[in-house]
Amino acid sequence: MLDIYTIIFLALAVFIFVRLRSVLGQRTGRERPPYDPYSRDAARPPQPAPENNVVTLPERAAATPAAPAADAPEPQGFRWEGVTEEGSANAAALDEIARQEADFDAKHFLTGAKAAYEMIVTAFAAGDRRLLKDLLAKDVYEGFVAAIADRESRGETMESRFVSIERADLQDVTVRGRNAQLTVRFVSKLISVTRARDGTVVDGSPDTVADVTDVWTFARELGARDPNWKLVATEAAQ
């Protein structure tokens, strides 16, 4: 029988997941995470980094702009201003995504990608397999889970706390048919520490802030019923 505290925590978990889906899951759209899930040494942040592990998700603007005068020419600004360069291959690829999904918003996608980035990094540290499964492609999920299992087999625990996510820049956009991939370069500040079974620090530091740069690729099938983008590749930036 569920007690009141269990119900409260379950409701909170559902709320967080729904908020992420509402941002990253909108049909608006390789450095690894601060760890390499495929090897022991990199299964922890390369350098430690302070906390701000709550990303404020923006609301859609409710205000309606004033209608232009009848004879005024309609502004023709660059659609992807602030996201990529006009006339670039990435701009053309974003145009193709918008052609297939008219409500695609690249800036909204990047906001959601930042939220996903933070959730995935902290879920990896906490060993939260359920959350990771919802956000990662199958092969990436298996790599992360293998790293978590390896850490647990040694009796180690890991803590990761964000101080800030400084930047989330769109690095590459690829569209092949209905399959779209968007690669994002994250620059963040993170505190991370791994402790042995007896509590001694074996990697990182609970007091040191590390500058971390990760390059992640998200993908989804355009026009599919599932609007969510999933992490399909990670790469360590130099």
Side-chain angles (χ1 to χ4, degrees):
M1 181 173 180
L2 298 177
D3 58 31
I4 185 63
Y5 298 105
T6 300
I7 293 173
I8 290 173
F9 284 121
L10 286 175
L12 180 59
V14 171
F15 172 75
I16 293 172
F17 182 61
V18 170
R19 289 288 286 169
L20 177 60
R21 286 176 65 92
S22 71
V23 177
L24 193 58
Q26 292 292 329
R27 288 189 175 175
T28 55
R30 287 189 279 216
E31 161 159 43
R32 48 172 167 71
Y35 47 80
D36 178 355
Y38 301 98
S39 68
R40 165 173 166 74
D41 291 340
R44 315 179 179 97
Q47 304 173 22
E51 172 178 46
N52 173 8
N53 60 340
V54 176
V55 175
T56 302
L57 306 182
E59 299 296 334
R60 294 280 191 178
T64 301
D71 297 329
E74 198 169 320
Q76 298 293 325
F78 175 48
R79 183 173 190 174
W80 312 116
E81 185 71 37
V83 175
T84 192
E85 295 182 2
E86 188 170 3
S88 65
N90 282 349
L94 290 174
D95 285 340
E96 175 58 22
I97 293 175
R99 187 189 69 78
Q100 296 193 45
E101 294 192 344
D103 57 353
F104 174 77
D105 182 332
K107 289 183 178 179
H108 198 59
F109 167 84
L110 288 174
T111 298
K114 287 170 66 176
Y117 173 64
E118 182 170 349
M119 291 184 74
I120 291 169
V121 170
T122 53
F124 172 80
D128 188 341
R129 293 168 173 82
R130 174 175 291 185
L131 179 56
L132 291 174
K133 190 170 186 178
D134 289 327
L135 301 173
L136 311 181
K138 184 175 183 295
D139 56 341
V140 178
Y141 172 75
E142 290 173 350
F144 277 43
V145 167
I148 292 171
D150 183 51
R151 185 175 70 216
E152 292 174 344
S153 71
R154 298 190 299 273
E156 296 175 351
T157 57
M158 183 179 181
E159 300 171 16
S160 291
R161 297 178 295 151
F162 277 90
V163 176
S164 63
I165 299 178
E166 306 287 296
R167 300 182 62 86
D169 298 322
L170 191 62
Q171 182 169 290
D172 185 68
V173 185
T174 302
V175 181
R176 293 186 177 88
R178 294 176 58 190
N179 297 311
Q181 292 191 351
L182 279 71
T183 299
V184 182
R185 184 176 186 271
F186 298 99
V187 178
S188 64
K189 292 183 181 297
L190 184 75
I191 292 177
S192 186
V193 59
T194 301
R195 301 179 187 274
R197 196 186 307 273
D198 62 3
T200 58
V201 174
V202 296
D203 190 52
S205 166
D207 305 310
T208 303
V209 179
D211 295 321
V212 179
T213 302
D214 294 308
V215 179
W216 287 12
T217 299
F218 299 88
R220 69 178 292 268
E221 181 183 352
L222 301 175
R225 294 183 61 184
D226 182 358
N228 295 299
W229 297 79
K230 289 197 173 184
L231 178 65
V232 297
T234 66
E235 179 185 342
Q238 300 301 320

